[in-house]
Amino acid sequence: MAHELENEDPIKLAEFQAKIDAEIKIEPKDWMPEKYRQNLVRQISQHAHSEVIGMQPEGNWVSRAPSLRSKKILMAKIQDEGGHGLYLYCAAETLGVTRDQYIKWLHEGKAKYASVFNYPSPTWADMGAIGWLVDGAAIVNQVSLQRTSYGPYARAMVRICMEESFHQRQGYEIMDRLMQGSEAQRKMAQDALDRWWWPSLMMFGPHDADSAHSSQSMKWKIKRESNDDLRQQFIDKTIPQAELIGLKVPDEKAIWNPETNHYDFSDIDWDEFWNVIKGNGPCNKQRLDHHIKAHNDGEWVRKAAQAYAMKQNNKLQTA
Ligand code: 3HC
């Protein structure tokens, strides 16, 4: 990375780093190293893509929710995720790249989204596991991102984190209710935990030593805590939640270690992690095909909205 900063003006670079070190937020019109901007273009847009694609596994259950109450809660949650995508695309657009370009990179397979969304959601318990575990993991990561150095990204996190807390609680409530139900319902909840536990741990990214971006992202305070630290925080708070309602995480090594004051856990299957990211997960093609179809089907809406906005604009100018 150091060689990539060679082309930057050393004085400006030093002034930039001094702002970062002094906890001064970097705003869109501020000078920033091209590599800082590119890193944010990558991370914020992938975050936005994750929010929107993450609506798919849950959308699968709106018409099959077991009660009107659970349908209303699920719809509210899914609508929140669409809003999170909107805030994040707006934050990403402040970096000089258009929404259309971000979507094009996603559709061309040049941009990633969280690998966790490439798994199927075959039972109602998956709605519980996704809310409790996936949103639970997202909260740990996003609470930390509220302190990220780029202003628009940090500010987008504030509202996202408040809404994620509702998402996590409603998911945990689903799991709790199932665990108070029949043997079949308890089995469904444990099966969902078994399937979503490891993909949720993967949301925090590779081990710090294998992370391509972490060291520079930490120096520039894009990241405030490391992948492994955030993962451990999530594990430490989630295992007691599982045990409280009678669930068991699918890891024999997940035992409290009084010496480290953390839970031990087995290593993650990194071959699965990279394989799913490469496009070979159970639902990668389905998720992207659905996104592309929805985007194309929605083109008339975007065109109508743009035409209306232009008409309003012209009215204002001729008034
Ligand atoms: N899924 C897909 N790709 C991942 C990944 C994951 N879980 N974890 C890491 N990667 C990718 C990275 O994007 C990077 O690839 P790239 O260079 O092509 O972008 C590569 O693996 C190396 O990983 P690094 O650790 O070096 O990458 P980062 O420094 O970017 O750290 C991250 C990874 C922790 C995921 C970071 O990008 C991040 O914090 N992103 C924002 C958080 C986010 O996207 N969360 C998902 C939210 S979805 C959600 O909340 C919906 C829920 O409400 C249902």
Side-chain angles (χ1 to χ4, degrees), residues 95-259:
L95 293 156
V97 177
T98 65
R99 179 85 56 90
D100 286 348
Q101 180 58 68
Y102 284 124
I103 301 296
K104 189 163 177 288
W105 281 332
L106 174 67
H107 290 173
E108 290 169 348
K110 291 179 185 151
K112 294 181 168 70
Y113 57 89
S115 59
V116 69
F117 296 119
N118 290 311
Y119 293 84
S121 51
T123 73
W124 176 250
D126 289 71
M127 294 306 99
I130 290 174
W132 172 39
L133 299 173
V134 176
D135 289 71
I139 289 174
V140 172
N141 169 286
Q142 289 166 161
V143 162
S144 180
L145 280 172
Q146 284 180 123
R147 294 184 297 119
T148 191
S149 56
Y150 189 56
Y153 197 21
R155 290 188 290 271
M157 284 302 115
V158 175
R159 177 168 172 173
I160 287 178
C161 287
M162 282 186 240
E163 292 174 344
E164 294 289 14
S165 303
F166 146 60
H167 301 170
Q168 193 265 2
R169 298 318 295 167
Q170 62 84 37
Y172 189 58
E173 185 193 64
I174 290 173
M175 298 301 264
D176 181 31
R177 285 184 165 207
L178 287 169
M179 289 307 285
Q180 295 176 49
S182 66
E183 177 55 30
Q185 287 171 320
R186 288 196 296 276
K187 192 174 169 314
M188 188 196 293
Q190 184 59 59
D191 167 59
L193 171 54
D194 293 350
R195 286 184 287 106
W196 288 94
W197 177 251
W198 295 106
S200 299
L201 298 193
M202 294 173 189
M203 283 178 73
F204 295 97
H207 281 311
D208 299 340
D210 306 322
S211 167
H213 302 286
S214 283
S215 56
Q216 188 61 54
S217 289
M218 295 287 276
K219 190 162 183 278
W220 281 336
K221 297 186 181 177
I222 293 173
K223 254 184 198 179
R224 301 308 301 258
E225 292 163 274
S226 78
N227 296 0
D228 287 324
D229 286 350
L230 291 175
R231 190 179 357 257
Q232 187 67 64
Q233 280 178 39
F234 171 71
I235 289 167
D236 289 349
K237 79 173 202 169
T238 307
I239 291 178
Q241 291 170 354
E243 290 170 352
L244 184 67
I245 59 176
L247 284 168
K248 189 174 173 357
V249 300
D251 180 2
E252 290 312 317
K253 282 192 183 167
I255 298 164
W256 182 256
N257 183 331
E259 281 168 30

